[in-house]
Amino acid sequence: MCGIVGIVGKANVNLALYDSLTVLQHRGQDAAGIMTYDNGKVNLRKDNGLVRDVFHTRHMRQLTGRMGIGHVRYPTAGSSGPALAQPFYVNSPYGISIAHNGNLTNVEDLRRDLYREDLRHLNTDSDSEVLLNVFAHELQRRNQRKMLPSASDVFDAVSAVHRRCRGAYAVVAMIVGHGIVGFRDKHGIRPLVFGERKTAAGTEYMLASESVALDSQGYSLIRDVAPGEAIYISEDGKVESRLCAEDSALRPCIFEHVYFARPDSMIDGVSVYKSRLRMGEKLAQKILRERPDHDIDVIIPIPDTSRTAAVELANALGVKFREGFVKNRYIGRTFIMPGQMQRKKSVKQKLNAIPLEFQGKNVMLVDDSIVRGTTCKQIIEMAREAGARKVYFCSASPPVKYPNVYGIDMPVVSELIAYGKTVEEVRAMIGADWLLFQDLQDLVAACAEGSSQAVEFECSVFDGIYITGDVSEEYLNKLQAQRNDATKLQKQNDQELYGGAGDEAQIPLLSNE
């Protein structure tokens, strides 16, 4: 999962890109990068680390220009390092850079075709670099010796990308000296929104993963980029759009609502905050169906993502809501930390219990999901140590039983606690006195209400149905080899041994004027 942003402005966009990436930091904490275009030069800074650590004053002074893109990265197959930070750049045609959120499922076929047929060299194992080269090749095919690409040329190239690439992708790409294009895969699995801001100098435009990035910079949300659609914003601010994919149908990833997106975002016309409130309502209804005579004394969320659902759960049940854990806000999101050892170590550093809220009480802990189960097991132990009489646990989503192939670094099946197990077996493993999961139909209903579009969702982590139709057992086995914790630990050790400095450069280009 990553965060992307692109801006075509009337003044330098470096600070707006930086601020937007800080707002999108929750989508990736591994690396960050910004690339801008200014008077014939591309300016780049990217490195491993948080946004605030990657960009210093000297970098921001170099990132001049009225057009640029940015990226925050979270590795989806354990790979890390400055070379894999985005944006990526290719020189031909024109000079194209890309920031990508998602994952291609036919990447091996694309690598082979790019090398053998398109005669393009790939420098990393990132599928984002593959996507960039496919787009660049298709644009070049349509622009032999053509100095200025038209919007139609760009849209034709995006259409070819849709024909060749399968999987999930939300993209912002900068065509140097010409404009920025944003597009989503034909299912709209990963989010992308489009907004504008009126200034005295004219209208500025932004594309971003979430609407909160628009809000933070004073942009108004125009709409979501439709599945299969491309929006092209020229350097002078002309906006054109086209539906570029055949058989497009909105099937966004439901885990955005469960965990990844900020609650103050709107995704495909649905308020993430409202969807999480409805998750709490649905949980309450299930509790009342299964245990109308429950003995819950207090509802306590596991901060932060589950808080909204927990508040509404408590309201619906008429039970006290209390904050029982204090979160250290200087520790990152444990779900997106590479390696199980680092993740396990961070839980105690991240949360501390308030004993007064637990002593002698039957406590219902609420979390957004249960993935490996190691975190919630430790939290349940913390609740008991704080004096809870009984510890109940409920998840705002169904059991996670299958790996994600569309851009979320979900563990392999052998590391998913619910895979092949009953709810009772999971309960015993995490040490809860009672365990409750959300029903999938209730989760879908909670996320679909209020939208005129999103009536279906990509739910593969819960139901094992991969909507692109190309995910085989062989593919999942390869994914398991890439994503298991032993492989990630080895890659992490290699990075510590061989890691280098970040990239910061000015790439001189021929003027088109």
Side-chain angles (χ1 to χ4, degrees):
M1 188 64 61
C2 302
I4 61 176
V5 60
I7 300 176
V8 176
K10 298 299 180 182
N12 283 336
V13 298
N14 51 356
L15 291 177
L17 288 168
Y18 174 91
D19 290 340
S20 298
L21 291 182
T22 61
V23 171
L24 296 173
Q25 186 76 84
H26 62 284
R27 300 187 66 86
Q29 302 170 7
D30 180 67
I34 290 175
M35 183 177 280
T36 61
Y37 169 76
D38 185 21
N39 195 30
K41 291 182 179 179
V42 170
N43 309 303
L44 169 66
R45 167 63 184 171
K46 61 179 182 177
D47 199 358
N48 275 17
L50 300 177
V51 175
R52 68 177 182 231
D53 299 322
V54 170
F55 302 101
H56 302 151
T57 301
R58 66 182 184 275
H59 305 130
M60 300 306 293
R61 286 174 176 163
Q62 294 176 352
L63 291 170
T64 56
R66 297 185 295 107
M67 180 170 70
I69 63 176
H71 187 269
V72 286
R73 181 176 188 266
Y74 137 65
T76 55
S79 298
S80 189
L84 293 171
Q86 297 185 40
F88 285 127
Y89 174 84
V90 290
N91 187 55
S92 179
Y94 309 111
I96 301 174
S97 59
I98 197 172
H100 164 225
N101 175 28
N103 186 60
L104 302 182
T105 53
N106 65 332
V107 68
E108 295 305 322
D109 292 340
L110 291 170
R111 287 182 192 280
R112 183 189 62 242
D113 293 344
L114 283 167
Y115 178 75
R116 295 179 179 176
E117 299 177 18
D118 300 348
L119 307 180
R120 284 186 170 263
H121 171 74
L122 298 174
N123 200 45
T124 72
D125 63 359
S126 170
D127 63 334
S128 302
E129 189 188 14
V130 171
L131 183 60
L132 167 60
N133 277 273
V134 171
F135 176 66
H137 176 76
E138 295 299 335
L139 186 59
Q140 189 165 31
R141 286 180 58 192
R142 288 155 179 80
N143 290 272
Q144 297 292 341
R145 302 184 184 280
K146 198 173 175 182
M147 290 298 295
L148 181 65
S150 66
S152 180
D153 294 329
V154 174
F155 294 144
D156 288 345
V158 173
S159 295
V161 169
H162 289 315
R163 288 192 294 271
R164 294 182 63 177
C165 298
R166 295 194 298 272
Y169 45 93
V171 171
V172 289
M174 181 169 65
I175 304 171
V176 172
H178 301 299
I180 287 178
V181 59
F183 58 92
R184 289 171 88 182
D185 66 80
K186 70 176 185 178
H187 299 290
I189 298 173
R190 302 266 72 90
L192 188 63
V193 297
F194 173 53
E196 66 177 10
R197 180 174 68 180
K198 305 291 186 181
T199 71
T203 303
E204 300 178 316
Y205 296 96
M206 180 191 288
L207 292 153
S209 292
E210 294 184 34
S211 61
V212 1
L214 304 179
D215 299 339
S216 71
Q217 301 306 304
Y219 283 74
S220 300
L221 174 64
I222 297 175
R223 59 183 174 85
D224 296 86
V225 178
E229 182 188 24
I231 294 179
Y232 181 64
I233 310 161
S234 66
E235 188 182 18
D236 60 4
K238 183 180 179 182
V239 178
E240 298 179 67
S241 65
R242 181 195 292 179
L243 186 61
C244 298
E246 299 176 358
D247 304 321
S248 60
L250 186 62
R251 295 284 296 276
C253 174
I254 203 164
F255 216 72
E256 291 280 354
H257 288 272
V258 171
Y259 178 80
F260 275 105
R262 273 183 38 160
D264 45 344
S265 285
M266 297 285 295
I267 296 181
D268 295 308
V270 177
S271 163
V272 176
Y273 177 74
K274 288 287 190 180
S275 69
R276 290 177 183 168
L277 285 177
R278 290 189 288 267
M279 291 177 205
E281 292 174 2
K282 302 294 185 182
L283 280 173
Q285 292 167 9
K286 184 170 183 179
I287 288 173
L288 293 175
R289 286 196 308 270
E290 296 192 359
R291 291 198 181 183
D293 55 347
H294 69 81
D295 58 352
I296 303 169
D297 295 319
V298 62
I299 304 288
I300 293 178
I302 297 171
D304 283 317
T305 320
S306 64
R307 182 175 289 113
T308 308
V311 167
E312 196 60 20
L313 171 61
N315 288 339
L317 292 179
V319 174
K320 289 181 181 178
F321 172 87
R322 291 290 185 269
E323 295 285 353
F325 295 102
V326 175
K327 181 179 179 181
N328 179 353
R329 301 192 181 280
Y330 299 96
I331 297 291
R333 304 181 87 179
T334 53
F335 180 92
I336 64 177
M337 286 184 177
Q340 179 61 21
M341 290 180 66
Q342 182 180 355
R343 186 179 299 106
K344 187 173 182 179
K345 178 183 177 183
S346 70
V347 176
K348 289 280 188 179
Q349 298 172 335
K350 181 179 180 180
L351 296 177
N352 189 47
I354 302 173
L356 287 174
E357 299 299 340
F358 291 91
Q359 289 172 357
K361 298 176 183 176
N362 297 334
V363 177
M364 172 64 85
L365 303 180
V366 183
D367 206 352
D368 52 78
S369 58
I370 300 176
V371 183
R372 286 178 170 88
T374 51
T375 299
C376 60
K377 181 177 181 180
Q378 291 182 74
I379 291 172
I380 289 169
E381 291 171 356
M382 290 171 65
R384 294 195 190 282
E385 291 169 1
R389 183 168 60 241
K390 292 183 180 179
V391 182
Y392 306 139
F393 201 101
C394 71
S395 165
S397 62
V400 175
K401 295 185 176 183
Y402 305 94
N404 184 280
V405 302
Y406 298 126
I408 300 176
D409 191 20
M410 201 66 72
V412 296
V413 291
S414 60
E415 295 166 1
L416 295 171
I417 192 170
Y419 177 72
K421 299 183 183 69
T422 65
V423 174
E424 176 57 26
E425 288 172 329
V426 175
R427 181 206 64 76
M429 291 178 71
I430 66 174
D433 294 297
W434 175 29
L435 174 62
L436 187 80
F437 285 102
Q438 185 89 263
D439 293 332
L440 182 55
Q441 62 267 29
D442 286 342
L443 178 62
V444 170
C447 298
E449 187 176 329
S451 173
S452 59
Q453 310 172 70
V455 292
E456 295 184 68
F457 290 89
E458 195 286 309
C459 302
S460 57
V461 298
F462 304 124
D463 60 17
I465 300 172
Y466 299 100
I467 61 174
T468 52
D470 62 336
V471 179
S472 63
E473 194 66 32
E474 180 185 6
Y475 180 90
L476 293 175
N477 289 337
K478 287 182 179 179
L479 203 67
Q480 175 145 332
Q482 292 176 323
R483 289 187 177 179
N484 68 74
D485 281 334
T487 301
K488 289 181 181 179
L489 182 60
Q490 181 61 53
K491 288 182 177 180
Q492 186 177 337
N493 291 338
D494 289 345
Q495 170 57 27
E496 291 173 357
L497 185 61
Y498 301 111
D503 295 328
E504 49 184 294
Q506 287 189 326
I507 306 171
L509 302 171
L510 292 173
S511 172
N512 291 325
E513 298 177 359

